[in-house]
Amino acid sequence: MASPQDSSLTRIHPTLSQVLGAMESLWPLSLQAGWDASGVVAGRPEQLIQRIHWAVDPVQAVADEAVSYGADLLITHHPLFLKPVTSIAATTFKGKVVHTLVENSCALITAHTNADSAVGGVSDVLAEILGLEDIVPLAPADGSAEEGIGRVGTLQHALRLEDFAARVYSAMPAVAGGVRVAGDSNGIVSKVAITGGAGDSLFDAVREHEADVYITADLRHHPASEAREQAMLSGDRPYLIDVSHFASEWLWLPTGAKALERALADEGYTVTTAVSALNTDPWDFILTSGDDTKTITSETE
């Protein structure tokens, strides 16, 4: 049995329970939405954790990568069991993921809407990468001035919509779908609302903040169309920038990994972490008018 203390060094590795405690201090489960399923999916509380692997999606390729890395723990943003299942047989794709991890002594924890809402979470990281200032929650959590879903902030210098969209595009990992924009390319953008992942349920909050542009993922036809029509009644705002769900949330992983390392180090524990470079966006290529087929590799760029 492995000792919690290396024989040759003074490094002490945490247990899964201790890692979970550090994660709770950063991304409290009390912040997750009522429909969410964050937390421990697999693993014994007393298991020693030396290597942690981070990814957006708990898919088979990620599980295989974590095992090949020698990880004791896989942390993903998206839950594996967001919807109930009646079997984890290895003949099902979710069951195979569980078997791959458990049979190789790799635990699984997910941090979803709690990591979206917490300070330093998904939308905070996006806002900082895009150069926003005076950042506040788009939809604050109850009784909080800092936590909640989404963020709103201002640019230090206003930009044309086309130039700001180019900044968004350059900040994102390359994916087949690219970035879609609705609005006047020469329109001036100063106040920005953003939600990592799917955020088309928050248009009312975006309008309340009087944002010039709203960045989110998975914008469906009807909510986007209705938002544009509503905007035409109030000066064409907000403009819309639709990004990849995967790409918008992958950007948080390096920050989340470093934050957890620091939190564990403050408790006297040492872990080694790695962030998956696998592109788990579900789309492989896109055809556009007048362009050749755009093919994206399986790794983020």
Side-chain angles (χ1 to χ4, degrees), residues 155 157-169 179-193 211-215 228 235-242:
L155 294 169
H157 302 289
L159 293 172
R160 294 170 58 246
L161 175 61
E162 184 175 2
D163 295 331
F164 181 66
R167 177 185 291 187
V168 173
Y169 177 82
V179 170
R180 302 186 298 179
V181 185
D184 179 0
S185 62
N186 290 312
I188 300 302
V189 170
S190 179
K191 194 171 190 179
V192 179
D212 297 312
V213 62
Y214 182 38
I215 308 164
R228 289 197 65 172
D236 282 350
R237 309 297 173 92
Y239 304 133
L240 305 177
I241 298 180
D242 183 39

Side-chain angles (χ1 to χ4, degrees), residues 41 55-63 74-81 93-94 97-98 101 108-110 280:
V41 179
V56 174
D57 297 297
V59 295
Q60 188 61 45
V62 166
L74 171 62
I75 297 176
T76 64
H77 181 55
H78 289 149
L80 179 61
F81 297 119
F93 74 91
K94 291 187 178 184
V97 168
V98 172
L101 296 174
L108 174 61
I109 297 177
T110 67
T280 55

Side-chain angles (χ1 to χ4, degrees), residues 98-246:
V98 172
H99 279 262
T100 298
L101 296 174
V102 170
E103 289 166 4
N104 288 278
S105 300
C106 183
L108 174 61
I109 297 177
T110 67
H112 193 210
T113 52
N114 52 322
D116 289 328
S117 293
V119 173
V122 173
S123 293
D124 265 337
V125 170
L126 281 170
E128 291 169 7
I129 287 174
L130 295 176
L132 302 189
E133 300 177 340
D134 303 320
I135 300 168
V136 298
L138 175 60
D142 290 342
S144 175
E146 297 181 317
E147 296 170 325
I149 296 295
R151 295 294 185 265
V152 180
T154 56
L155 294 169
Q156 187 175 21
H157 302 289
L159 293 172
R160 294 170 58 246
L161 175 61
E162 184 175 2
D163 295 331
F164 181 66
R167 177 185 291 187
V168 173
Y169 177 82
S170 64
M172 297 286 167
V175 295
V179 170
R180 302 186 298 179
V181 185
D184 179 0
S185 62
N186 290 312
I188 300 302
V189 170
S190 179
K191 194 171 190 179
V192 179
I194 190 165
T195 301
D200 64 13
S201 64
L202 296 171
F203 278 120
D204 286 344
V206 174
R207 285 187 282 265
E208 287 175 10
H209 283 277
E210 299 182 337
D212 297 312
V213 62
Y214 182 38
I215 308 164
T216 192
D218 297 343
L219 280 177
R220 296 169 294 165
H221 174 87
H222 292 296
S225 177
E226 290 174 5
R228 289 197 65 172
E229 293 299 310
Q230 179 66 34
M232 289 179 185
L233 300 176
S234 55
D236 282 350
R237 309 297 173 92
Y239 304 133
L240 305 177
I241 298 180
D242 183 39
V243 299
S244 157
H245 192 130
F246 158 81

